[in-house]
Amino acid sequence: MQQIVDLEFLKACFKSVGVNDGSVAMFLEVASKIEIVSIKKYGIISKVGELYECIGLVKSGLLRVYYMKNGREVTEGFVCPGRTFTSVVSFFSGKESNMSVEAEEDTVYYRMPYADIEALCKKFKSFDLFFQQSMIATISTLNAYSEILQLDSADEKYEKFCEMFPDVVLRVPSIHIASCLGITPETLSRVRGRRCK
């Protein structure tokens, strides 16, 4: 059965970044440019070294963004429903991506290539504003992860992570949360143990 773009979901995504207007014609044209992608848990959307010239918008599920360091995966962050994702370096410069994106759950996302985004930005002011605000939100989320890493103690890091990303905590393996926080899984286990007392 062919999936169709959920226009109410799209409108809610626009509103979530402060864009409250947009014509029916705009939403229909945006929907016509979207490719709907379903990916199974642990499926890879993009890998380090590949070109990624699309913007994705998660409809359902959960994604993990990571890079490789000394042969190990280092989790950069997670992408929840209603949030956009891309390899910023690859998307804007045309260079190979320095990040990989993996599905942590069965995931459905909307994908649109750069050329279509550029054309829609020129044609619709509301779409241009949505694109700008979505990129700001993506960068702000990355900054939030970076700020967590700068906190002194593992307890502070985990507490802040739980405050900022409550939907993620119970949905991904501890090893990925520990990696995202810059601590070992054993330290994370002790932190969680202290919180339960």
Side-chain angles (χ1 to χ4, degrees), residues 47-116:
K47 292 181 182 178
V48 171
E50 295 179 346
L51 283 177
Y52 197 75
E53 301 174 309
C54 295
I55 293 284
L57 173 65
V58 177
K59 173 70 169 65
S60 62
L62 182 69
L63 303 179
R64 178 174 70 99
V65 180
Y66 66 95
Y67 60 93
M68 300 301 292
K69 184 174 182 181
N70 300 324
R72 298 179 65 183
E73 293 178 4
V74 178
T75 299
E76 176 82 3
F78 303 93
V79 188
C80 298
R83 292 294 181 182
T84 55
F85 69 95
T86 190
S87 169
V88 176
V89 171
S90 190
F91 184 79
F92 287 107
S93 71
K95 296 179 180 177
E96 294 176 346
S97 175
N98 59 350
M99 297 286 174
S100 295
V101 181
E102 176 186 69
E104 284 300 301
E105 300 171 352
D106 289 353
T107 298
V108 175
Y109 68 97
Y110 295 167
R111 180 169 65 192
M112 188 182 293
Y114 180 78
D116 288 339

Side-chain angles (χ1 to χ4, degrees), residues 16-47:
S16 74
V17 293
V19 182
N20 296 311
D21 57 347
S23 65
V24 172
M26 181 202 71
F27 280 110
L28 289 174
E29 188 162 341
V30 169
S32 74
K33 304 293 184 186
I34 287 173
E35 178 187 2
I36 302 173
V37 182
S38 296
I39 187 164
K40 293 291 186 186
K41 185 175 182 177
Y42 302 132
I44 301 294
I45 292 171
S46 69
K47 292 181 182 178

